Amino acid sequence: MRITEAARRLGMSPRMLRYREALGLLPPVRERGAHRRFGPEELAAVAQGMELEKRFDITPAELAFALRVLSEPAVAGAVRDLGVRIGRIQIPRRALDFEKEKALRLLRTSAPGRASNQS
């Protein structure tokens, strides 16, 4: 079916469906003539996205960014770093222990009066 019929079935305007497509919230399937055809899978994917937005009280743009975080390691790392900095994400205890041990090893080997790497 074409976008007008799909939008009607989903209870939204064709413009909103195009917006969701621009955000990357629809499967990337198009016909040769650049007209999108919607089948049961595409409708189910849009409906699932709408359900997530409603359940978690988020916008389509927020959902699209969440998908980007999940699919792009650099974005995930940057968001994680921000979360740690602002206190919304706690660093796992093992990572802290590892960093502490590494720092202590460095301090022991570079202490004044000690020669490092001597037998």
Side-chain angles (χ1 to χ4, degrees):
M1 76 189 75
R2 292 202 168 217
I3 193 166
T4 305
E5 175 63 17
R8 186 187 64 73
R9 286 191 186 193
L10 291 164
M12 68 177 65
S13 68
R15 183 177 179 190
M16 178 53 88
L17 201 46
R18 285 186 191 94
Y19 173 64
R20 289 174 178 281
E21 180 180 21
L23 290 172
L25 295 176
L26 278 76
V29 180
R30 284 188 167 273
E31 285 185 338
R32 285 185 168 196
H35 289 287
R36 176 179 276 284
R37 286 286 192 185
F38 291 84
E41 288 297 315
E42 289 79 17
L43 292 177
V46 174
Q48 182 179 6
M50 292 169 61
E51 168 58 29
L52 289 171
E53 293 160 17
K54 184 177 179 180
R55 185 184 330 158
F56 297 108
D57 191 29
I58 59 173
T59 66
E62 289 170 319
L63 180 58
F65 185 70
L67 288 170
R68 185 173 176 203
V69 168
L70 291 172
S71 65
E72 296 180 31
V75 176
V79 170
R80 188 178 313 103
D81 290 346
L82 173 63
V84 169
R85 177 167 286 194
I86 65 174
R88 297 266 317 257
I89 297 175
Q90 299 299 314
I91 298 174
R93 181 78 179 133
R94 286 186 287 161
L96 286 173
D97 290 343
F98 173 78
E99 291 300 321
K100 179 182 172 184
E101 288 300 318
K102 186 170 79 172
L104 288 172
R105 275 194 309 273
L106 287 170
L107 286 172
R108 281 191 291 253
T109 60
S110 63
R114 291 190 126 179
S116 58
N117 295 333
Q118 284 188 354
S119 307

